[in-house]
Amino acid sequence: MKKDMKKLVSIVLTGIMCISLAGCAGNQEAKNPNPSGDSTEVTIKIMSWLADPVQSGIEKMNQEFMEEHPGVTIEYEAVTGDDYRTVLQTRFASGDGPDIFMNAGYSWLDTFQQYMSPITDEEWAQYLPEASKQRWGADGEYYGFPINLQSISYVYNKDMFEEAGISELPDTFEELQDACEKLEAIGVTPFGIPGGLTARLAHSFNVALGHHDDPTAFIQQLRSGEATCADDEAFNQWADFFEYTIQHSTDDVLTCDDDAIYTLFATEQVAMIQAGSWCESALKEINPDLNIGIIPMSINNNEDENFIAGDAADGFSIAENENTELSKELVAYWALSDTGVNIFKEYQMIPAMSNCKYDASELGQILEEADQYFKNGEYFGWYWYAFPDLTADLQFGAIMQSYISGSIDKQEMLDQFDLKIAELEAKSQQ
């Protein structure tokens, strides 16, 4: 990634760096949906792929909102894992869609925009980060309320690195290889990879996308056939990197899910795992004494290009239905009331909008370090959702599983990416 891109990302980050799901902009005066005191009952249904800690934070605010709004019931349903997309589509198709729902942006807008109400003119929209306006923007309107800023990187064990004599953290592929040799010299397996989860494998695929000056423009070139993964320098570098990590990981990559790699890492059976910033609480539950940090997934030898992945990863959209105005009032309560001022500290999250300050040192080891990457502009976004299918990432991950199993080689993996992109694009034009 070029240095001018680094500056650009830093500018974009200025809009991302403070804030919130629950903000500091002052009290949001609640309106009683039943001012006359009648017995009308209203239920707001929220559907999300996020469980704790986000669920607990939102439910805490929802409870206070309900106390201030007699007659209103708020139901939060967490549909975790890959099933979320299918369940959401089915609900809307059957006329039983939620009032507020998680939406990944980009190509998800193509599918769900028909059900959504824009939030462009809401008071809290002024605090949207620029990156979110791009991700959840369409036809001059905005449709997403971002939650928190998250990272994807390698999480490493600081004590194991020290024991292996790794005095400087690797930020190139050669340095990563050298670190792995030192770890193996003391009998430590370098990597734990969640190869049983296609979505997690796609997080690695995303690194190749992030090594372009304009990843979304590059994806458009892939979709149009102007560019290919097979001929792309970054994708070929990534393929070599991916091959190396598989060769220096545990033997059971294809059966490892999040729980498996968390256990391997927390019990110090591996020194590094590919994981998101959301993993820290789970790791510390297994081993409270873990001393951890993060490093980029370095695919080449240019340290100015090897960053972590980070984004305002999760956003809520509001459905257009009979409950739209009340749903918008609830989201405004999340964004502007004093109720949530301590939510991010309490549940260890970096907020994603610009109306609330935070102290990263209070958010855990991973987010404290990720915050420095964010502030330095040393990060790229999450781009897999920009392909024309809600499950594109899962399909790319399945191709990677074929490579891990030995069914295809590196070149065939890249070729199959190109064939899959062409297939998805053709379907999107039907």
Side-chain angles (χ1 to χ4, degrees), residues 57-123:
I58 291 177
E59 288 187 331
K60 182 175 182 178
M61 290 187 289
N62 289 350
Q63 183 60 42
E64 295 194 19
F65 184 87
M66 287 188 287
E67 291 173 1
E68 297 180 15
H69 294 70
V72 174
T73 299
I74 304 172
E75 299 176 352
Y76 186 105
E77 179 184 10
V79 181
T80 58
D82 298 339
D83 291 339
Y84 178 86
R85 314 163 206 227
T86 301
V87 173
L88 184 62
Q89 284 182 292
T90 301
R91 295 274 179 87
F92 275 118
S94 66
D96 188 32
D99 299 291
I100 301 172
F101 60 98
M102 294 300 296
N103 173 6
Y106 292 132
S107 64
W108 285 52
L109 295 181
D110 297 336
T111 301
F112 296 110
Q113 186 178 355
Q114 60 182 310
Y115 305 115
M116 299 188 301
S117 179
I119 50 84
T120 317
D121 296 328
E122 298 303 305
E123 179 183 355

Coordinates of all heavy atoms in Angstrom, one line a residue, residues 57-123:
G57 N -24.6 -5.0 25.7 CA -24.6 -3.6 25.7 C -25.9 -3.0 25.1 O -26.5 -2.1 25.7
I58 N -26.3 -3.6 24.0 CA -27.6 -3.1 23.4 C -28.8 -3.4 24.3 O -29.7 -2.6 24.4 CB -27.7 -3.7 22.0 CG1 -26.7 -3.1 21.0 CG2 -29.1 -3.4 21.4 CD1 -26.7 -3.7 19.6
E59 N -28.8 -4.6 24.8 CA -29.9 -5.0 25.7 C -30.0 -4.1 26.9 O -31.1 -3.8 27.4 CB -29.9 -6.4 26.0 CG -30.2 -7.3 24.8 CD -30.3 -8.8 25.2 OE1 -29.6 -9.2 26.2 OE2 -31.1 -9.5 24.5
K60 N -28.9 -3.7 27.4 CA -28.9 -2.8 28.6 C -29.6 -1.4 28.2 O -30.4 -0.9 28.9 CB -27.5 -2.5 29.0 CG -27.4 -1.6 30.3 CD -26.0 -1.5 30.8 CE -25.9 -0.7 32.0 NZ -24.5 -0.6 32.5
M61 N -29.2 -0.9 27.0 CA -29.9 0.3 26.6 C -31.3 0.1 26.2 O -32.2 1.0 26.5 CB -29.1 0.9 25.4 CG -27.7 1.4 25.7 SD -26.9 2.3 24.4 CE -26.5 0.9 23.3
N62 N -31.6 -1.0 25.6 CA -33.0 -1.3 25.3 C -33.9 -1.4 26.5 O -35.1 -0.9 26.5 CB -33.1 -2.7 24.6 CG -32.6 -2.6 23.2 OD1 -32.3 -1.6 22.7 ND2 -32.4 -3.8 22.6
Q63 N -33.4 -2.0 27.6 CA -34.2 -2.1 28.8 C -34.5 -0.7 29.4 O -35.6 -0.4 29.8 CB -33.3 -2.8 29.9 CG -34.1 -3.0 31.2 CD -35.4 -3.8 31.0 OE1 -35.4 -4.8 30.3 NE2 -36.4 -3.4 31.7
E64 N -33.6 0.2 29.4 CA -33.8 1.6 29.8 C -34.8 2.3 28.9 O -35.6 3.1 29.3 CB -32.5 2.4 30.0 CG -31.6 1.8 31.1 CD -30.5 2.7 31.5 OE1 -30.6 3.9 31.2 OE2 -29.5 2.2 32.1
F65 N -34.7 2.0 27.6 CA -35.6 2.7 26.6 C -37.0 2.2 26.9 O -38.0 3.0 26.9 CB -35.2 2.3 25.2 CG -36.0 2.9 24.1 CD1 -35.7 4.2 23.6 CD2 -37.1 2.3 23.6 CE1 -36.5 4.8 22.6 CE2 -37.9 2.9 22.6 CZ -37.6 4.1 22.1
M66 N -37.2 0.9 27.2 CA -38.5 0.3 27.5 C -39.1 0.9 28.8 O -40.3 1.2 28.9 CB -38.5 -1.2 27.6 CG -38.3 -1.9 26.2 SD -38.4 -3.7 26.3 CE -36.9 -4.1 27.1
E67 N -38.2 1.1 29.7 CA -38.7 1.7 31.0 C -39.3 3.1 30.8 O -40.2 3.6 31.5 CB -37.6 1.7 32.0 CG -37.2 0.4 32.5 CD -35.9 0.4 33.4 OE1 -35.4 1.5 33.6 OE2 -35.5 -0.7 33.8
E68 N -38.7 3.8 29.8 CA -39.1 5.2 29.5 C -40.3 5.2 28.5 O -40.8 6.3 28.2 CB -37.9 6.0 29.0 CG -36.8 6.2 30.0 CD -35.7 7.0 29.5 OE1 -35.9 7.7 28.5 OE2 -34.6 7.0 30.1
H69 N -40.6 4.1 27.9 CA -41.6 4.0 26.9 C -42.6 2.9 27.2 O -42.5 1.8 26.7 CB -41.0 3.7 25.5 CG -40.1 4.9 25.0 ND1 -38.9 5.2 25.5 CD2 -40.4 5.7 23.9 CE1 -38.4 6.2 24.8 NE2 -39.3 6.6 23.9
P70 N -43.5 3.1 28.1 CA -44.5 2.1 28.5 C -45.2 1.6 27.2 O -45.6 2.3 26.3 CB -45.5 2.9 29.4 CG -44.7 4.0 29.9 CD -43.7 4.4 28.8
G71 N -45.4 0.3 27.2 CA -46.1 -0.3 26.1 C -45.2 -0.8 25.0 O -45.6 -1.5 24.0
V72 N -43.9 -0.5 25.1 CA -42.9 -0.9 24.1 C -42.1 -2.1 24.6 O -41.6 -2.1 25.7 CB -41.9 0.2 23.7 CG1 -40.9 -0.3 22.7 CG2 -42.7 1.4 23.0
T73 N -42.1 -3.2 23.8 CA -41.3 -4.3 24.0 C -40.2 -4.4 22.9 O -40.5 -4.3 21.8 CB -42.1 -5.6 24.1 OG1 -43.1 -5.5 25.1 CG2 -41.3 -6.8 24.3
I74 N -39.0 -4.7 23.3 CA -37.9 -4.8 22.4 C -37.3 -6.3 22.5 O -36.9 -6.7 23.6 CB -36.8 -3.8 22.6 CG1 -37.4 -2.4 22.6 CG2 -35.7 -4.0 21.5 CD1 -36.4 -1.3 23.0
E75 N -37.3 -7.0 21.4 CA -36.8 -8.3 21.4 C -35.5 -8.4 20.5 O -35.5 -7.9 19.4 CB -37.9 -9.3 20.8 CG -39.2 -9.3 21.5 CD -40.2 -10.2 20.9 OE1 -39.9 -10.7 19.7 OE2 -41.3 -10.5 21.5
Y76 N -34.5 -8.9 21.1 CA -33.2 -9.0 20.4 C -32.9 -10.4 20.1 O -32.8 -11.3 21.0 CB -32.1 -8.4 21.3 CG -30.7 -8.3 20.7 CD1 -30.2 -7.1 20.2 CD2 -29.9 -9.5 20.5 CE1 -28.9 -7.0 19.6 CE2 -28.6 -9.4 19.9 CZ -28.1 -8.2 19.5 OH -26.9 -8.1 18.9
E77 N -32.8 -10.8 18.9 CA -32.5 -12.1 18.5 C -31.1 -12.2 17.8 O -30.8 -11.5 16.8 CB -33.5 -12.6 17.5 CG -33.3 -14.1 17.0 CD -34.3 -14.5 15.9 OE1 -35.0 -13.6 15.4 OE2 -34.3 -15.7 15.6
A78 N -30.2 -13.0 18.4 CA -28.9 -13.2 17.8 C -28.9 -14.5 17.0 O -29.1 -15.6 17.6 CB -27.8 -13.3 18.9
V79 N -28.7 -14.4 15.7 CA -28.5 -15.6 14.9 C -27.1 -15.6 14.4 O -26.7 -14.9 13.5 CB -29.5 -15.5 13.6 CG1 -29.3 -16.7 12.8 CG2 -30.9 -15.3 14.1
T80 N -26.3 -16.3 15.1 CA -24.8 -16.3 14.9 C -24.4 -17.3 13.8 O -25.2 -18.2 13.5 CB -24.1 -16.6 16.2 OG1 -24.5 -17.9 16.7 CG2 -24.3 -15.6 17.3
G81 N -23.2 -17.1 13.3 CA -22.7 -18.0 12.3 C -23.3 -17.7 10.9 O -23.9 -16.7 10.6
D82 N -23.0 -18.6 10.0 CA -23.3 -18.4 8.6 C -24.8 -18.4 8.3 O -25.3 -18.0 7.2 CB -22.6 -19.5 7.7 CG -21.1 -19.4 7.8 OD1 -20.6 -18.3 8.2 OD2 -20.5 -20.4 7.5
D83 N -25.7 -18.9 9.2 CA -27.1 -19.0 9.0 C -27.8 -17.7 8.9 O -28.9 -17.5 8.4 CB -27.8 -19.8 10.1 CG -27.4 -21.3 10.1 OD1 -26.9 -21.8 9.0 OD2 -27.5 -22.0 11.1
Y84 N -27.2 -16.6 9.5 CA -27.8 -15.3 9.6 C -28.4 -14.8 8.2 O -29.5 -14.4 8.1 CB -26.8 -14.3 10.1 CG -27.5 -12.9 10.2 CD1 -28.2 -12.5 11.3 CD2 -27.3 -12.0 9.2 CE1 -28.8 -11.2 11.4 CE2 -27.9 -10.7 9.2 CZ -28.6 -10.4 10.3 OH -29.2 -9.1 10.4
R85 N -27.5 -14.9 7.2 CA -27.9 -14.4 5.9 C -29.2 -15.1 5.4 O -30.1 -14.4 4.9 CB -26.8 -14.5 4.9 CG -25.5 -14.1 5.5 CD -24.3 -14.6 4.6 NE -23.1 -14.8 5.4 CZ -21.9 -14.4 5.1 NH1 -21.7 -13.8 3.9 NH2 -20.9 -14.5 5.8
T86 N -29.2 -16.4 5.5 CA -30.3 -17.2 5.0 C -31.6 -16.9 5.8 O -32.7 -16.7 5.2 CB -30.0 -18.7 5.0 OG1 -28.8 -18.9 4.2 CG2 -31.2 -19.5 4.5
V87 N -31.4 -16.8 7.1 CA -32.6 -16.6 7.9 C -33.2 -15.2 7.6 O -34.4 -15.0 7.5 CB -32.2 -16.7 9.4 CG1 -33.4 -16.3 10.3 CG2 -31.8 -18.1 9.7
L88 N -32.3 -14.2 7.5 CA -32.8 -12.8 7.2 C -33.5 -12.7 5.9 O -34.6 -12.2 5.9 CB -31.6 -11.9 7.2 CG -31.9 -10.4 7.1 CD1 -32.8 -9.9 8.2 CD2 -30.7 -9.5 7.0
Q89 N -33.0 -13.3 4.9 CA -33.7 -13.3 3.6 C -35.0 -14.0 3.7 O -36.0 -13.5 3.1 CB -32.8 -14.0 2.5 CG -31.6 -13.2 2.0 CD -30.9 -13.9 0.9 OE1 -30.2 -14.9 1.2 NE2 -30.9 -13.4 -0.3
T90 N -35.1 -15.1 4.4 CA -36.3 -15.9 4.5 C -37.4 -15.1 5.2 O -38.5 -15.1 4.9 CB -36.0 -17.2 5.2 OG1 -35.1 -18.0 4.5 CG2 -37.3 -18.0 5.4
R91 N -36.9 -14.4 6.3 CA -37.9 -13.6 7.1 C -38.5 -12.5 6.3 O -39.7 -12.3 6.3 CB -37.1 -13.0 8.3 CG -36.6 -14.0 9.3 CD -37.7 -14.4 10.3 NE -37.1 -15.4 11.2 CZ -36.4 -15.1 12.4 NH1 -36.2 -13.9 12.7 NH2 -36.0 -16.1 13.1
F92 N -37.7 -11.8 5.5 CA -38.2 -10.7 4.7 C -39.1 -11.2 3.6 O -40.2 -10.7 3.3 CB -37.1 -9.8 4.1 CG -36.6 -8.7 5.1 CD1 -35.3 -8.7 5.5 CD2 -37.5 -7.7 5.5 CE1 -34.9 -7.7 6.4 CE2 -37.1 -6.7 6.4 CZ -35.8 -6.7 6.8
A93 N -38.7 -12.3 3.0 CA -39.5 -12.9 1.9 C -40.9 -13.4 2.4 O -41.8 -13.3 1.6 CB -38.7 -14.1 1.3
S94 N -40.9 -13.8 3.6 CA -42.2 -14.3 4.2 C -43.0 -13.1 4.8 O -44.1 -13.4 5.3 CB -41.9 -15.3 5.2 OG -41.3 -14.8 6.4
G95 N -42.5 -11.9 4.8 CA -43.3 -10.8 5.4 C -43.1 -10.7 6.8 O -43.8 -9.9 7.5
D96 N -42.1 -11.4 7.4 CA -41.9 -11.3 8.9 C -40.5 -10.8 9.2 O -39.8 -11.3 10.1 CB -42.1 -12.8 9.4 CG -42.1 -12.8 11.0 OD1 -42.5 -11.8 11.6 OD2 -41.6 -13.8 11.5
G97 N -40.1 -9.8 8.4 CA -38.7 -9.3 8.6 C -38.6 -8.5 9.9 O -39.6 -8.0 10.4
P98 N -37.4 -8.4 10.5 CA -37.2 -7.6 11.7 C -37.4 -6.1 11.5 O -37.3 -5.6 10.3 CB -35.8 -8.0 12.1 CG -35.1 -8.3 10.8 CD -36.2 -8.9 10.0
D99 N -37.5 -5.3 12.5 CA -37.6 -3.9 12.4 C -36.2 -3.2 12.3 O -36.1 -2.2 11.7 CB -38.3 -3.3 13.7 CG -39.8 -3.9 13.8 OD1 -40.6 -3.5 13.0 OD2 -40.0 -4.6 14.7
I100 N -35.3 -3.8 13.0 CA -33.9 -3.4 13.0 C -33.0 -4.6 12.8 O -33.2 -5.6 13.4 CB -33.5 -2.7 14.3 CG1 -34.4 -1.5 14.6 CG2 -32.0 -2.2 14.3 CD1 -34.2 -0.8 15.9
F101 N -32.1 -4.5 11.9 CA -31.3 -5.7 11.6 C -29.9 -5.4 11.2 O -29.6 -4.4 10.6 CB -32.0 -6.6 10.5 CG -32.1 -5.8 9.1 CD1 -31.2 -6.0 8.1 CD2 -33.2 -5.0 8.9 CE1 -31.4 -5.4 6.9 CE2 -33.3 -4.3 7.7 CZ -32.4 -4.5 6.7
M102 N -29.0 -6.4 11.5 CA -27.6 -6.2 11.1 C -27.5 -6.3 9.5 O -28.1 -7.1 8.9 CB -26.7 -7.3 11.7 CG -26.6 -7.3 13.2 SD -25.9 -5.7 13.8 CE -24.3 -5.8 13.1
N103 N -26.6 -5.5 9.0 CA -26.5 -5.4 7.5 C -25.0 -5.1 7.2 O -24.4 -4.1 7.8 CB -27.4 -4.3 7.0 CG -27.2 -4.0 5.5 OD1 -26.4 -4.6 4.8 ND2 -27.8 -2.9 5.1
A104 N -24.4 -5.9 6.4 CA -22.9 -5.8 6.2 C -22.6 -4.7 5.2 O -21.4 -4.4 5.0 CB -22.4 -7.2 5.7
G105 N -23.5 -4.1 4.5 CA -23.2 -3.1 3.6 C -22.8 -3.6 2.2 O -22.9 -4.8 2.0
Y106 N -22.2 -2.7 1.4 CA -21.8 -3.1 0.1 C -22.9 -3.9 -0.7 O -24.0 -3.4 -0.9 CB -20.5 -3.9 0.1 CG -19.3 -3.1 0.6 CD1 -18.4 -3.6 1.5 CD2 -19.0 -1.9 0.0 CE1 -17.3 -2.9 2.0 CE2 -17.9 -1.2 0.4 CZ -17.0 -1.7 1.4 OH -15.9 -1.0 1.8
S107 N -22.6 -5.1 -1.1 CA -23.6 -5.9 -1.9 C -24.8 -6.3 -1.1 O -25.9 -6.6 -1.8 CB -22.9 -7.2 -2.4 OG -22.5 -8.0 -1.4
W108 N -24.8 -6.2 0.2 CA -26.0 -6.5 1.0 C -27.1 -5.5 0.7 O -28.3 -5.8 0.8 CB -25.7 -6.5 2.5 CG -25.0 -7.7 2.9 CD1 -23.9 -8.3 2.4 CD2 -25.4 -8.6 4.0 NE1 -23.5 -9.4 3.1 CE2 -24.4 -9.6 4.1 CE3 -26.4 -8.6 4.9 CZ2 -24.5 -10.6 5.1 CZ3 -26.5 -9.5 5.9 CH2 -25.5 -10.6 6.0
L109 N -26.7 -4.2 0.3 CA -27.7 -3.2 0.0 C -28.5 -3.6 -1.3 O -29.6 -3.3 -1.4 CB -27.0 -1.9 -0.3 CG -26.3 -1.2 1.0 CD1 -25.7 0.1 0.6 CD2 -27.3 -1.1 2.1
D110 N -27.8 -4.3 -2.2 CA -28.5 -4.8 -3.4 C -29.7 -5.7 -3.1 O -30.7 -5.6 -3.7 CB -27.6 -5.5 -4.4 CG -26.4 -4.6 -4.9 OD1 -26.6 -3.4 -4.9 OD2 -25.4 -5.2 -5.2
T111 N -29.5 -6.5 -2.0 CA -30.5 -7.4 -1.6 C -31.6 -6.8 -0.7 O -32.8 -7.1 -0.8 CB -29.9 -8.6 -0.9 OG1 -28.9 -9.2 -1.8 CG2 -30.9 -9.6 -0.5
F112 N -31.1 -6.0 0.2 CA -32.0 -5.5 1.3 C -32.5 -4.1 1.2 O -33.3 -3.7 2.0 CB -31.4 -5.8 2.7 CG -31.1 -7.3 3.0 CD1 -29.8 -7.8 3.0 CD2 -32.2 -8.1 3.2 CE1 -29.6 -9.1 3.2 CE2 -32.0 -9.5 3.4 CZ -30.7 -10.0 3.4
Q113 N -32.0 -3.3 0.3 CA -32.3 -1.9 0.2 C -33.8 -1.7 0.1 O -34.4 -0.8 0.6 CB -31.6 -1.2 -0.9 CG -31.8 0.3 -0.9 CD -31.0 1.0 -2.0 OE1 -30.2 0.4 -2.7 NE2 -31.2 2.3 -2.2
Q114 N -34.5 -2.6 -0.6 CA -35.9 -2.5 -0.8 C -36.7 -2.6 0.5 O -37.8 -2.1 0.6 CB -36.4 -3.7 -1.7 CG -36.1 -5.1 -1.1 CD -36.5 -6.2 -2.1 OE1 -37.7 -6.2 -2.6 NE2 -35.6 -7.1 -2.3
Y115 N -36.1 -3.1 1.5 CA -36.8 -3.2 2.8 C -36.4 -2.1 3.8 O -37.0 -2.0 4.9 CB -36.5 -4.6 3.5 CG -36.8 -5.8 2.6 CD1 -35.7 -6.6 2.2 CD2 -38.1 -6.1 2.3 CE1 -36.0 -7.7 1.4 CE2 -38.3 -7.2 1.5 CZ -37.3 -8.0 1.0 OH -37.6 -9.1 0.3
M116 N -35.4 -1.2 3.4 CA -34.8 -0.4 4.4 C -35.3 1.1 4.3 O -35.6 1.6 3.2 CB -33.3 -0.4 4.3 CG -32.7 -1.8 4.5 SD -30.9 -1.8 4.5 CE -30.5 -1.1 2.9
S117 N -35.3 1.8 5.4 CA -35.6 3.2 5.5 C -34.3 4.0 5.6 O -33.4 3.6 6.5 CB -36.5 3.5 6.7 OG -36.8 4.9 6.8
P118 N -34.0 5.0 4.8 CA -32.7 5.7 5.0 C -32.6 6.5 6.3 O -33.7 6.9 6.9 CB -32.8 6.7 3.8 CG -34.2 6.8 3.5 CD -34.9 5.5 3.8
I119 N -31.4 6.7 6.8 CA -31.2 7.4 8.0 C -30.4 8.7 7.8 O -30.0 9.3 8.7 CB -30.4 6.5 9.0 CG1 -29.2 5.9 8.4 CG2 -31.3 5.3 9.5 CD1 -27.9 6.8 8.4
T120 N -30.4 9.1 6.5 CA -29.6 10.2 6.1 C -29.9 11.5 6.9 O -29.0 12.3 7.3 CB -29.8 10.5 4.6 OG1 -29.7 9.3 3.9 CG2 -28.7 11.5 4.1
D121 N -31.2 11.7 7.2 CA -31.6 13.0 7.9 C -31.7 12.9 9.4 O -32.2 13.8 10.0 CB -32.9 13.4 7.3 CG -32.8 13.8 5.8 OD1 -31.7 14.2 5.4 OD2 -33.8 13.5 5.0
E122 N -31.4 11.7 9.9 CA -31.4 11.6 11.4 C -30.4 12.5 12.1 O -29.3 12.7 11.5 CB -31.3 10.1 11.8 CG -32.3 9.2 11.3 CD -33.7 9.6 11.7 OE1 -34.0 9.8 12.9 OE2 -34.6 9.8 10.8
E123 N -30.7 12.9 13.2 CA -29.7 13.8 13.9 C -28.4 13.2 14.1 O -27.3 13.9 14.0 CB -30.3 14.2 15.3 CG -29.4 15.1 16.1 CD -30.0 15.4 17.5 OE1 -31.1 15.0 17.8 OE2 -29.3 16.1 18.3

